[in-house]
Amino acid sequence: MLTFIPTPIGNKEDITLRALRLLKELKHLICEDTRTTKKLLQMYEIDYSDKEFFSLTSFTDKGKLAHYANLIRENEIGMLSDAGTPGLSDPGKVLVQICQSEGLKYSILPGANALVPSIVAAGFDTSEFIYIGFLPQKKGRQTALKTMISSDIPTFFYESVHRMGKLIEELHELNFDGKIAIAREVSKLFEEYQTFEFSELWDLYQTGKLVLKGEFVVGVCPK
């Protein structure tokens, strides 16, 4: 059986008792980065001298994935990303697909992620919403933006600090006149949630008063 174990994205207290118990008990861990997972275990004073670690990235080959399928079939396995919930905008989703195709049992623990707090903090009507992961950097980006600003429901996505300025300028060029929610540094020391009319956001951006540092989740809500 494979268990997806969420880990903190900022505050180290954002981990469940169940996750801590499994991290102590499980002897086999598949990790986005084994070094990051070992540091996490050290932080919680969990001895890992008897544990076996396996790496999973977007470049993991089919041979290794087949080996992981056999491990899951025969053992209790934990899956961890570098931070947050495995499988949400990271390589973990391929293990879900393997479990489904091979008929293997798997479980997803509830836990830390940046998306859900950002959706709640936006203050939009979220009885329906769209989540698109990361916006395309180049090809398809304009199409994605035009689709979301003409939608009847809010769209949420992650955006890099290096592209936040570009995003604001692109929305301005498209004459967007709805609301935009920006969640910054969720669960970290400088956590901040703000929702603006886009015209207000544009003024702050133009005058250099908008803080564009850290990690972002953006919500776009057309009127």
Side-chain angles (χ1 to χ4, degrees):
M1 177 175 170
L2 176 66
T3 302
F4 287 73
I5 304 174
T7 55
I9 58 174
N11 192 315
K12 72 176 185 178
E13 295 179 349
D14 292 343
I15 190 166
T16 67
L17 295 174
R18 186 179 173 196
L20 288 172
R21 176 179 61 79
L22 286 170
L23 289 176
K24 292 174 183 177
E25 294 177 355
L26 294 175
K27 303 303 180 186
H28 308 280
L29 298 174
I30 299 175
C31 320
E32 187 174 1
D33 188 321
T34 58
R35 295 165 299 181
T36 300
T37 297
K38 288 176 181 178
K39 288 179 182 177
L40 179 82
L41 296 176
Q42 288 174 342
M43 182 172 69
Y44 293 116
E45 299 181 348
I46 296 173
D47 179 25
Y48 58 81
S49 59
D50 62 343
K51 298 185 187 298
E52 193 170 6
F53 297 85
F54 304 90
S55 175
L56 176 70
T57 71
S58 56
F59 302 105
T60 299
D61 61 46
K62 291 182 179 179
K64 274 192 175 181
L65 292 176
H67 176 56
Y68 294 167
N70 288 329
L71 281 174
I72 295 166
R73 186 175 290 108
E74 299 171 1
N75 302 275
E76 294 287 333
I77 309 289
M79 167 66 204
L80 297 88
S81 62
D82 285 349
T85 300
L88 191 62
S89 296
D90 73 24
K93 64 180 179 294
V94 71
L95 293 184
V96 174
Q97 295 166 349
I98 287 173
C99 287
Q100 291 172 341
S101 64
E102 299 282 336
L104 303 173
K105 190 175 180 182
Y106 63 97
S107 177
I108 316 294
L109 269 59
N113 66 83
L115 179 63
V116 173
S118 302
I119 292 171
V120 174
F124 301 156
D125 177 2
T126 52
S127 53
E128 291 183 275
F129 63 87
I130 298 170
Y131 166 65
I132 60 172
F134 289 90
L135 273 175
Q137 292 187 34
K138 294 181 181 178
K139 185 178 180 181
R141 186 177 176 91
Q142 283 295 307
T143 300
L145 287 170
K146 289 176 182 177
T147 299
M148 74 173 66
I149 67 174
S150 61
S151 173
D152 293 328
I153 59 178
T155 301
F156 292 87
F157 54 93
Y158 293 102
E159 186 59 289
S160 162
V161 62
H162 306 295
R163 291 189 293 275
M164 276 299 295
K166 177 183 177 182
L167 171 67
I168 294 168
E169 291 170 5
E170 289 169 326
L171 289 172
H172 178 69
E173 290 170 4
L174 291 170
N175 297 313
F176 176 62
D177 64 350
K179 289 187 175 182
I180 185 164
I182 298 177
R184 187 172 70 87
E185 293 289 86
V186 175
S187 184
K188 299 181 177 68
L189 181 61
F190 297 104
E191 176 184 78
E192 185 176 50
Y193 299 103
Q194 295 176 293
T195 298
F196 306 93
E197 294 290 343
F198 184 74
S199 58
E200 179 187 3
L201 177 70
W202 178 250
D203 289 342
L204 290 172
Y205 176 69
Q206 286 287 87
T207 56
K209 295 179 181 178
L210 186 67
V211 178
L212 294 179
K213 296 179 180 179
E215 298 179 345
F216 294 88
V217 181
V218 179
V220 172
C221 185
K223 288 185 176 178

